[in-house]
Each structure stands twice: as C-alpha cells, then as structure tokens.
Amino acid sequence: MLNTILTYEVRSVVYTLSAAMIYLILALQKNSRIKKEWIFLIILGLSSFFYLTFEPKDPLIYILHFIPVSLMLVLFFEGPILIGATVAAFNIGSYFVLHNPFWPVFTAAIVISLLGFFVARRVRHHSILFKNVTATWLTFVYLLLLLLLDSRLQQNAAFMLMTVAGTLISVWFINYMYDWVKTQEMMREKLIAAEKFQLVGQMAASISHEIRNPLTTIRGVLQLIRRNPHSETELRYLDLAISEVDQADTIISDYLNYAKPSADKPERLEIKNLLSEIITLITTLSIHSGIETLVKHHSKEPLYIWGESKKFRQCMLNILKNSLESMPDGGTLTITTDRIKDQILVTIQDTGEGMSAIQLKSLGEPFYTTKQNGTGLGIMVVISLLKMMNGTIRYESRPYIGTTCIMEFKASDPV
C-alpha cells in the first residue's frame, strides 16, 4: 500500500511542479502579450486533461493529495480568479472522471479557498517559511473537512495517515520550489534594472552640469531682452522661450536628483503631519479636476521614520501628481497610513486609468513613461530618494480600475 501511495503522490507532484514551472516561465516573460490568467487557465486545463486521461490514478489520493497540494500553491501565490478556476477544474475531475462524491470535495475546497484567500492576502509578503506554516494548518482544515464529510476515509485510517503525511511534505516542497524560482527571476530582473540605473546615473552626472550652464546663460539673456520688447508678439515669443528653457532645466534637475541626490542630515519625521501639509499643496488641483481626496490613518499614535523632509515631500508630490493626472475625468484619491510591527506603510490609491501587467512591470525603468509628454524620470527619482531613506515602493494596478502605490519605511519610535 505504501508503494502505491508514493507512486501516485510522486506523479501528482511531478504534474503540479511541471505545470507551475511552465506557468512561471511564460507568465514572467516581460513582453508576453497573453495575460497571465489565460496562461494559467490553459496550463491548468492541459495538465488536468493529460493527468486524468493518461495517468494511473486513485480517487482518494486525488482528493487527499493532488487537490490540496495544488490549491495551497495557488492560494499563496495567485489571485481569486485563479483560485476559483483551480477549485472548478479539480471538482470536475473528481466528480465526473473519478466519480468521487461531489459535496465533500466541493465543500472542503470552497471553505478552504475562502479562508485561504483572506489569510493569504496577509502573508503574501512574508517569508516562505511563514507561508508554509500557514499552508500546513489550512491543509489540515481541508483534510479534516473531508474526513468528516466522506465516510470512505473514516474506514481506512492507515491509508489516510500515510497520504496526509505525503501531502504535507509535498505542500512544503512545491511551495518552496515555486518561491525559489520566482525569487531568482525577480532578482535577475532587479540586477538588470540596477545596471540600467547605473548607466543612466553615469550619463546624467557627466552631461547634466555641462548642459545646465549654457541654459542658465540663455535664460539670463532672454530675461534681459524681455525688459524692452519691441512688440506683443516678441514678448509672447520670449515668454515661450523662457518657459521651454525652464522645462529643460526641470528635466536636468530630475537627472541630477537621480544621479546624485543631495545628502542632507536625516531627521525624525512624523508621517501624518507631513502628509497633511503635502495634501494641502494638491488640494487646488484635485478640486479643479473633480477628485475627492480621502485620508485614512489606521493607527492612532504618531508614525515616525528617519529621513529628510525635502526628499519625502518630493516623493509624495511626484506620486500624488501621477495619481491625479491618471484621473482626468475625476475620481477618488485615497491616502492611507498604517503601522505593522516595525514597518510604516503609506498607501496612495486612485481610481484612474490603471496600467496593464506589462506597463506595471516596466514602471520605474529608465525613460519608461505612460504619459504622452513624460520623460520617465519621475519614478526613477522617487525610487532613488526612497532608497536613501531605507524605504521601498511597489505598485498594484488594473486597467480602468486604478492604481495603488504602497511605500514601506522602517519605523523610528520617539525617544
């Protein structure tokens, strides 16, 4: 019996891991035009078809091993749509192909999916060890529900215990392998991005000063001529020329801020007060655009971080300006603060145009922008300044729904 169980479990692990790796390889391709949800559904359908059609299988091992192993992987690494697709696919296979009772598997899968969805959202950014510990007790809940609802399992305790042991080992192994491959791919992308940033920084540092000096001279000469214009047309042309020079100077300033951010003395900053001042600066623009601004502080006590107020203001204004510009027809801008253990979170959420997965993945790369007249330097500067304050930034977005920017800082408790 043990050899039979091991044979079936190894086959299911091979299928699950193979499908997961193929999905990772295809879904992480930056230029893939197929949405990752469609990639997942195609792989899920093909792997289920080949397993149920060509592989020897045991109905009980299918519901005790194959379903929970696959479900735990999707719960902790993917979203609700793919969780629902996985539950549907495995219930179809269990009932129509293997002729297991419908309600025990369906009930256990639905309960664990709903419970796992809310739990997984809170542990998605934790370590793989923490995820696997959470996956273990979720697996136990799933198996316990099956045991209570399916009388066949109550009649063969030895079979169930051996299968459960293999299931828990497989959950840990597959989740670890999936996380490791995903982490390696992300590290590779970060390395490539770092090389691009270094190149931009070197270029910016070498040419920006040389360009700014003649621009300063040109602006000065234009201002002198503007004092005694010969006509209204000439005055209008001079104003336009000065405006274009100022625009060029702004772009050069962005390069310099990215290449060599000024190193002021760090100080303890209180996030709530600073945000209140910054929001005041954008109030006129938000009202003019028909945008409602909501501020939510989930933590009642003051939130302190170490940083530089000028840099923090620059980062916030840049991000807020991007959010406002993404809602030309009005919308809602929600600014949220919170503290989780020793981390301070600042979240900026808009209901604007949003970004596709490809756009989201390219955000922050040199010269990449979604704006018609953008330079692609703003987010680069924000990333550089946040790094100096030991902060991180990440984005979540969906087209036509909106974008969420999450910034994390290390908390600095008052003395």
Side-chain angles (χ1 to χ4, degrees), residues 244-262:
E244 291 301 310
V245 169
D246 288 342
Q247 174 65 18
D249 188 69
T250 300
I251 295 173
I252 291 171
S253 296
D254 284 342
Y255 270 110
L256 289 175
N257 283 331
Y258 171 75
K260 293 184 178 180
S262 58

Side-chain angles (χ1 to χ4, degrees), residues 21-217:
M21 293 302 107
I22 293 171
Y23 168 71
L24 268 182
I25 292 170
L26 296 178
L28 289 176
Q29 293 298 314
K30 181 176 171 182
N31 296 321
S32 175
R33 295 185 178 182
I34 305 176
K35 290 185 176 182
K36 68 175 187 176
E37 287 84 2
W38 285 109
I39 296 174
F40 182 94
L41 293 175
I42 292 170
I43 294 173
L44 176 65
L46 289 175
S47 60
S48 299
F49 170 77
F50 281 108
Y51 182 83
L52 292 170
T53 304
F54 300 109
E55 293 294 330
K57 48 208 164 285
D58 183 282
L60 292 182
I61 290 180
Y62 186 83
I63 63 174
L64 287 173
H65 182 80
F66 205 178
I67 293 180
V69 169
S70 303
L71 207 52
M72 289 306 123
L73 181 64
V74 181
L75 278 172
F76 284 94
F77 294 99
E78 301 303 331
I81 296 176
L82 303 188
I83 294 172
T86 304
V87 171
F90 279 105
N91 272 274
I92 290 171
S94 173
Y95 181 69
F96 289 101
V97 180
L98 300 179
H99 307 295
N100 283 306
F102 177 77
W103 287 111
V105 180
F106 179 78
T107 303
I110 289 295
V111 169
I112 202 63
S113 296
L114 293 174
L115 180 61
F117 173 68
F118 291 107
V119 172
R121 290 177 64 187
R122 288 161 175 77
V123 303
R124 189 155 289 164
H125 300 292
H126 284 67
S127 67
I128 184 60
L129 176 61
F130 192 88
K131 290 177 183 175
N132 271 337
V133 170
T134 308
T136 298
W137 71 260
L138 285 173
T139 304
F140 270 122
V141 173
Y142 169 86
L143 295 171
L144 180 61
L145 287 171
L146 275 185
L147 179 63
L148 293 174
L149 297 173
D150 194 333
S151 58
R152 296 174 302 168
L153 301 176
Q154 301 168 9
Q155 300 168 5
N156 198 338
F159 177 88
M160 182 168 181
L161 286 174
M162 284 187 285
T163 306
V164 167
T167 299
L168 295 176
I169 293 172
S170 298
V171 166
W172 278 65
F173 173 71
I174 290 181
N175 282 1
Y176 174 79
M177 291 299 297
Y178 190 91
D179 183 77
W180 184 83
V181 173
K182 197 169 185 177
T183 301
Q184 294 301 310
E185 178 62 22
M186 291 173 64
M187 289 178 63
R188 185 183 71 85
E189 291 183 354
K190 286 181 179 179
L191 181 61
I192 294 173
E195 292 175 349
K196 292 180 181 178
F197 291 156
Q198 184 180 16
L199 177 62
V200 173
Q202 291 172 348
M203 181 180 66
S206 63
I207 69 173
S208 293
H209 284 295
E210 300 301 324
I211 295 176
R212 173 172 269 178
N213 290 336
L215 281 179
T216 303
T217 303

Side-chain angles (χ1 to χ4, degrees), residues 5 8 39 72 82 89 113 168 195 235 253 255 307 326 339 347 355 368 392 398 408:
I5 292 174
Y8 285 132
I39 296 174
M72 289 306 123
L82 303 188
S113 296
L168 295 176
E195 292 175 349
L235 179 62
S253 296
Y255 270 110
S326 73
R339 174 167 181 165
T347 304
M355 292 178 284
Y368 180 81
T392 61
R398 296 189 67 182
E408 294 186 23

